[in-house]
Amino acid sequence: MNKIKSDEPYIYFDNDIDNKITNFSTIKDKIIELTNSYCGNNKNIKEEPLIINIFSPTCPDLTIIDLPGISKVPIGDQPKNIEEITKNMTINYINNPYTIILCAIDVNQDITTSDGLYLAKQMDYLGERTLGVLTKIDLMDKGTNCKDILLNKLIPLKYGYIA
């Protein structure tokens, strides 16, 4: 994301600056098209990133990397070692000491078994650059809650947890 002075926001993909897109309603379809051209139509995964350059007067100068998560069981055209590939891809990015890790955690399961949180703690042992993002709160068992997690008591992180 790049903050600009112009009032007209735009994006372009990869280094294709000659094809600026100003109609943001078409971006989702373009992402799907490029993902299918990179990876095929059958759930394959590639390590090469799909780069979207966003220019707007209302966004900060910031790089965001959306990783696929740790897959354990291959589907579609995914290679048999999909877990190794997705784990190495994640480590490659979160190992950078200047990276803030937004770690998505399914809270309807025991967070101590979270692969994402486990990797984040390996790369950021003290939790100084990790923010826990709790998902699936609506799927928690009746009578349970995530109060201690949200209060940062169970597995402390400097930036805590949001739901």
Side-chain angles (χ1 to χ4, degrees), residues 71-75 78-79 82-83:
S71 297
K72 293 187 180 281
V73 179
I75 60 172
Q78 293 176 343
I82 190 68
E83 180 179 10

Side-chain angles (χ1 to χ4, degrees), residues 15-105:
N15 293 319
D16 194 8
I17 194 167
D18 294 331
N19 289 314
K20 292 180 182 176
I21 298 172
T22 56
N23 181 356
F24 279 52
S25 66
T26 65
I27 294 172
K28 179 181 175 185
D29 292 335
K30 183 68 174 176
I31 291 171
I32 292 169
E33 174 191 326
L34 288 172
T35 299
N36 289 340
S37 72
Y38 277 36
C39 301
N41 296 322
N42 201 15
K43 307 288 185 190
N44 200 359
I45 189 168
K46 300 283 183 185
E47 292 186 51
E48 300 86 37
L50 172 59
I51 299 172
I52 305 170
N53 300 284
I54 302 170
F55 296 84
S56 171
T58 60
C59 72
D61 290 322
L62 183 66
T63 299
I64 298 174
I65 301 163
D66 182 17
L67 297 169
I70 310 299
S71 297
K72 293 187 180 281
V73 179
I75 60 172
D77 290 334
Q78 293 176 343
K80 292 191 186 315
N81 65 336
I82 190 68
E83 180 179 10
E84 177 186 351
I85 290 169
T86 54
K87 189 179 286 188
N88 288 339
M89 187 184 307
T90 301
I91 290 169
N92 181 49
Y93 286 102
I94 68 172
N95 195 31
N96 182 331
Y98 298 106
T99 297
I100 295 173
I101 303 167
L102 297 177
C103 183
I105 304 160

Side-chain angles (χ1 to χ4, degrees), residues 11 23 29 60 112 126-127 129 134 146 153:
I11 73 154
N23 181 356
D29 292 335
T112 64
L126 298 175
R129 53 190 183 86
L134 305 181
C146 56
K153 292 181 178 178

Side-chain angles (χ1 to χ4, degrees), residues 142-159:
K142 191 172 188 167
T144 63
N145 67 59
C146 56
K147 180 179 175 183
D148 285 343
I149 299 168
L150 286 169
L151 292 174
N152 208 20
K153 292 181 178 178
L154 188 59
I155 300 173
L157 301 173
K158 178 179 178 182
Y159 297 108

